[in-house]
Amino acid sequence: MTSPFSRDSTDRFHDECGVVGVFGHPEAANLAYLGLYALQHRGQEGAGIVSSDGQLLMSHRGLGLVADVFDKEVMRRLIGDAAIAHNRYSTAGRTLLKNTQPFVVEFGGGGLAVAHNGNIVNALELRERLEARGSIFQSSVDTEVIIHLMAASTGPSLIDRASAALNQVQGAYSLLILDRNQMIAVRDPNGFRPLVLGKIKTAVVVASETCALDLIGAEYVREIEPGEMLVASRTGVRSYYPFPSAKPTRCVFEYVYFSRPDSTVFGRSVYQARKALGRRLAQERPVEADVVIPVPDSGVPAALGFAEEAKIEFDFGLIRNHYVGRTFIEPQDEIRHFGVKVKLNAQRQVLEGKRVIVVDDSLVRGTTSRKIVEILRQGGAREVHLRISSPPTIGPCFYGVDTPTREELVASSHSVEQIREFIGADSLGFLSEEGLYAFLPKPSSEGFCDACFTGRYPVRVADDGRSHQLVLFEVREGQRGR
Ligand code: AMP
């Protein structure tokens, strides 16, 4: 039996995404479009919107950033008072294929659309079972498994079918389902990925993060609870809890890196959480220095917290070019090295002759940090002390964050001292496992998934990581201008 962590990129998962849903608003698609803008950081590979006018579903999907996928003409066609939307995470190499969502199918006499953030860990097992019974798949994307399970169910309503389907699914999903009459928002019983509920007057809004609500002027109501299925229809909003209860294991990496700092995620401010992690890091890994600088943008709140706690001056020693994509997603090492230089430049005025503490949120492959240390030294820093506001990343994520293979995670096979040597810093310090929860009044890992840092996976990976060996199909639709 193959280990879930064996090489050949089987342990890469590519389903970190952002979702937005609007129900009961005359400008549903426009609001969903703006929501996608706010959630662009959650996915840059492709985007899509499906709207409903109570009769038909209208769909547009395409590759690229939200600004590239939609134009005025497209938006004019997305009519109706309900819409769901999806940003897909940008990934490397052969996986840069067209798996944009929402998926739309003809189903039981009407259209059905599904948008999914997360990763289903038993997708392949379910798919093999469905295929043996005659289901024909068009893609190898997890989300299609859910659609086939719904089609195979004999339940009388969409709610019954969705419940029956999702009760067979294991793993992470924050899911939006739209048909002519209703929008369903569901979160897996573990609540791995975030999903929040908001409103604009009587219209219901659902989004991965609150920053999407802010942009469209929606009022934040609450989190969609782990295991909750919220149904918005023309008769009102109702919640169901159709799954056996599970211990919530919300993703702590949303606080460390993934969510936007201006979002409230899992009921807490991401910005405050990151500052608290920086403060704790300063307590755990102090070092004498002249200046604290962040790796912008993700390291900024933690660096502020660090500087505050250490009582060392905070400054910007690295300036970021905001028009470059995330270097992390570049496929080859050489390009990634180049990418860091394109993205970050040293401020000699801040660094010259100084002992510098540079704070970043996470260390994954270590290649970015290595380049940053080099850039800082070239920029005149006398000493470079790298501090990371999370523990070493030792395991890939099976629940929806795009992480490299285990072998590529430098901390999975190297000690802190070996990593320090590799990146060329004068010192290197990570946050402790306990410190990772410093943002809580009573620090505790209870209720969180931190598998990427601890190797403790709360839900078994039933497919042994095989699902992503499949060749993904290409969706030839939704290019701009069509
Ligand atoms: P590296 O150690 O070179 O692999 O890259 C570490 C950098 O990537 C850090 O600055 C993080 O902010 C960023 N990072 C961490 N996890 C992810 C992720 N899942 N997607 C994109 N960037 C990430």
Side-chain angles (χ1 to χ4, degrees):
M1 190 186 235
T2 334
S3 148
F5 309 124
S6 61
R7 189 58 185 95
D8 72 51
S9 79
T10 53
D11 54 0
R12 283 192 68 108
F13 287 80
H14 307 293
D15 298 82
E16 183 60 272
C17 302
V19 293
V20 194
V22 180
F23 192 90
H25 195 288
E27 289 209 67
N30 283 337
L31 293 175
Y33 164 76
L34 289 171
L36 286 185
Y37 254 105
L39 298 176
Q40 188 74 84
H41 62 291
R42 297 187 74 86
Q44 301 99 40
E45 184 183 280
I49 300 177
V50 174
S51 71
S52 162
D53 63 355
Q55 300 292 323
L56 290 172
L57 296 190
M58 272 69 53
S59 156
H60 183 82
R61 304 181 289 176
L63 287 178
L65 299 175
V66 177
D68 301 325
V69 172
F70 303 98
D71 57 24
K72 273 192 181 152
E73 180 51 35
V74 165
M75 292 311 297
R76 254 199 297 274
R77 286 195 280 114
L78 296 172
I79 55 170
D81 70 347
I84 62 170
H86 187 270
N87 271 337
R88 183 168 172 77
Y89 197 80
S90 188
T91 53
R94 71 188 175 119
T95 53
L96 193 72
L97 294 171
K98 302 159 186 81
N99 300 296
T100 50
Q101 298 190 33
F103 281 109
V104 195
V105 289
E106 276 304 315
F107 178 78
L112 181 79
V114 178
H116 173 211
N117 171 208
N119 189 74
I120 298 167
V121 296
N122 64 337
L124 194 61
E125 194 179 293
L126 291 169
R127 184 190 166 101
E128 284 169 355
R129 214 167 73 204
L130 284 159
E131 280 177 338
R133 290 205 311 236
S135 295
I136 297 169
F137 280 77
Q138 296 182 48
S139 82
S140 65
V141 177
D142 292 1
T143 316
E144 205 189 339
V145 171
I146 299 174
I147 295 170
H148 280 273
L149 288 172
M150 284 170 67
S153 157
T154 52
S157 70
L158 188 63
I159 301 168
D160 294 310
R161 284 169 176 243
S163 306
L166 293 170
N167 262 304
Q168 299 172 62
V169 160
Q170 287 158 19
Y173 52 86
S174 282
L175 196 72
L176 298 180
I177 304 171
L178 181 73
D179 76 358
R180 283 182 301 175
N181 305 312
Q182 61 208 314
M183 178 177 79
I184 302 180
V186 204
R187 202 158 157 222
D188 67 75
N190 292 84
F192 281 106
R193 308 260 65 87
L195 196 62
V196 292
L197 176 64
K199 61 175 185 178
I200 304 174
K201 294 190 182 142
T202 55
V204 176
V205 182
V206 180
S208 296
E209 294 181 34
T210 57
C211 62
L213 304 184
D214 295 341
L215 178 60
I216 62 176
E219 187 188 325
Y220 172 64
V221 177
R222 61 175 173 85
E223 260 197 288
I224 304 275
E225 294 296 323
E228 178 177 356
M229 178 182 280
L230 181 130
V231 182
S233 71
R234 314 219 184 266
T235 55
V237 182
R238 272 177 303 164
S239 279
Y240 302 82
Y241 295 86
F243 312 115
S245 68
K247 205 175 121 235
T249 47
R250 295 171 170 92
C251 169
V252 77
F253 199 66
E254 292 280 353
Y255 285 120
V256 169
Y257 170 79
F258 214 81
S259 290
R260 252 173 61 160
D262 53 335
S263 283
T264 299
V265 162
F266 310 142
R268 286 182 186 279
S269 151
V270 174
Y271 181 73
Q272 296 299 347
R274 287 187 191 158
K275 269 187 98 173
L277 297 181
R279 279 196 293 272
R280 172 71 181 233
L281 182 61
Q283 292 163 4
E284 290 185 2
R285 302 282 169 222
V287 60
E288 272 194 31
D290 306 307
V291 66
V292 175
I293 67 163
V295 175
D297 293 321
S298 54
V300 173
L304 275 167
F306 193 109
E308 237 172 63
E309 182 69 24
K311 300 195 171 43
I312 300 174
E313 186 196 349
F314 172 92
D315 213 334
F316 284 97
L318 289 165
I319 300 300
R320 180 173 170 168
N321 176 343
H322 284 102
Y323 304 95
V324 184
R326 289 180 174 186
T327 56
F328 191 84
I329 63 178
E330 298 294 350
Q332 282 137 27
D333 256 18
E334 302 89 89
I335 298 173
R336 204 162 38 241
H337 288 306
F338 181 64
V340 177
K341 261 195 174 165
V342 170
K343 195 162 84 169
L344 295 170
N345 194 19
Q347 282 265 67
R348 186 165 284 277
Q349 296 81 348
V350 172
L351 303 169
E352 189 83 72
K354 300 261 182 72
R355 296 170 300 170
V356 177
I357 297 174
V358 56
V359 180
D360 203 357
D361 62 274
S362 55
L363 192 137
V364 183
R365 293 183 179 88
T367 47
T368 306
S369 307
R370 187 179 185 176
K371 204 71 205 165
I372 285 169
V373 172
E374 193 186 313
I375 291 171
L376 292 174
R377 290 204 196 281
Q378 282 168 1
R382 178 153 58 93
E383 289 175 19
V384 179
H385 302 277
L386 178 63
R387 293 294 178 270
I388 305 289
S389 59
S390 63
T393 308
I394 57 165
C397 177
F398 293 101
Y399 314 121
V401 173
D402 185 37
T403 36
T405 60
R406 178 166 294 246
E407 285 73 13
E408 288 171 278
L409 297 171
V410 65
S412 73
S413 53
H414 295 81
S415 66
V416 174
E417 176 51 24
Q418 285 170 327
I419 301 171
R420 184 203 63 74
E421 211 175 301
F422 169 68
I423 63 176
D426 293 285
S427 76
L428 169 65
F430 289 91
L431 194 63
S432 66
E433 266 177 52
E434 203 199 328
L436 189 55
Y437 297 97
F439 62 92
L440 299 172
K442 253 193 187 168
S444 156
S445 60
E446 192 68 26
F448 286 97
C449 174
D450 50 23
C452 53
F453 301 123
T454 63
R456 290 191 292 272
Y457 289 88
V459 171
R460 190 178 69 97
V461 183
D463 286 341
D464 296 338
R466 287 181 300 154
S467 49
H468 288 267
Q469 280 178 314
L470 295 166
V471 177
L472 305 180
F473 88 125
E474 304 218 350
V475 178
R476 295 185 196 282
E477 68 159 290
Q479 297 299 343
R480 192 180 179 147
R482 289 186 58 186

